[in-house]
Amino acid sequence: IIEMTSASSSQSVSETTRTTDTATTSAAPRLRRWRLWGAVAVGVVAVGAIPLPHHVTGSAAVQTRSDARQRLVMPVSGRVELKVESQTAVQPGQVLGRIRSDDLDNQLAQAQREWQQARLGVQSAQQQLSLAQARWAAAERRESIALEGVERAKEDTRGDLPQRQRWQRERDVLPAQVAAIEAEIAGIEAEIVGLQGQLTAVQKTVTALTSLQSHGAIREADLWEAQGRLASLTADISQRRGLMAAKRQEIEQQHGWMAAKTAQMDEVDFQFAKTALAARDDYQAQATYTETARTEVATAEAHLRASQELAARWQLDVQQLEQQRSQLTLVATHAGTVITPDLDLLDGTRLEAGQELLTVVDLQQLTAEVEIRQEDLDWVQPGARVRFRRPADARVYEAVVTDAGIVPVVQTSEQQQRPMLKVRILIDNSQEFLLPGVEGYAHIQTPKVCLARKVSREFQKLFPWGKFFSWL
């Protein structure tokens, strides 16, 4: 039993030992696998964190800089005489050619003749204005003298006024005197009527007494007394009639005096009116002449202004034509190279105004606009270095993104239907191998990017998971 027990114990220990060895043997490979996978993961993370160079690529077309080119066009029609050839380097101030324009010469000669004629017209207008002003000044002086004559006529009238007033007073008294005389005549007439009544009665008495005396009925003395009475009455009537005639003559005399006083006053009034009218007529005539002279001055001034404006217009035309003629000598304003081909074919030919002649470009620094995708905009920074290449050309041209490099115009490619942006770059073309119009592609250098981010961005371009999973 003891032996069996020992054997059983030994067998159990052996089985336990084998089980432990088997477990130890199976756990070691798993640990090694986990370690391997951990090492791989660490390696992947380490590789993904390695910063790698990055660039944005886009197509580009070479252009000239706006401040480094000179485009010459024909200012006028004419024949051109060129002093340079294609691909010739020029400096500022260098004569590029000259233009012979017969039309411009003829226009300038005609304008100069018209200008000279207009200046003569200005001189003539100035002389006419001076004469008109002199006539106006003389007319104003004569008008002033005529006005003084009117005032003198008024003064003369005021000087004769006391005598005329005396004549007026004397004439005004005469009607009252005539009325008094007429009243006396009326009284005398009344007396004559009374005397005639008495005379009629005495005549009847004398007739009766004469008849009685012839019959001896009365005394002769009574008849004589009656006849004496009749003679006395007849004398009284005759005296009264004579006195009345004298009074009527006195009235006529008074009327004569009134007429004389009136005539004297009328003469004074007439002379005053005549003098005043003459002075007033003279003043009005002089005022009219002054107004006419003033109108002549205004007309002369207007004519002078019109002549001066005409001369100024012709002078401006002459200046403009002379300026155009000064432009007939074509001078370079920029240092650069003549890039217009076949210039020899234009030399000596007639070209029309506005026709392009040649272009001078500074080829050492050219510009280009690189098309990039809109999602690459974040990588591009002003001042970034750029490498420009032409297709099938190993030469590399250095460039930089300008400060105003991003063109704020979104365009869509017709082939890709993707929003595209343009980035302006400045190319170093010191060797002048590039020419405007050449197309190529540009690599815009960006800050280094870790591999993981670069791969993630490329996957994002292919599979835009962020549109559906906001946490990615």
Side-chain angles (χ1 to χ4, degrees), residues 4 197 228 230 238 302 304 315 325 358 373 375 394:
M4 290 180 63
L230 179 62
S238 178
L304 176 59
Q315 182 181 9
R325 190 168 65 175
L358 58 87
R373 292 179 297 185
E375 56 266 23

Side-chain angles (χ1 to χ4, degrees), residues 73-81 98-107 321 324-325 327-328 330 348-357:
V73 297
M74 292 290 290
V76 294
S77 301
R79 296 185 179 276
V80 62
E81 178 184 353
R98 290 185 173 86
I99 300 172
R100 297 192 303 273
S101 177
D102 295 336
D103 295 340
L104 181 60
D105 293 339
N106 294 333
Q107 292 177 6
L321 291 172
Q324 291 181 9
R325 190 168 65 175
Q327 296 174 355
L328 298 183
L330 307 178
T349 61
R350 177 180 173 83
L351 301 178
E352 299 300 325
Q355 186 172 348
E356 184 174 354
L357 184 58

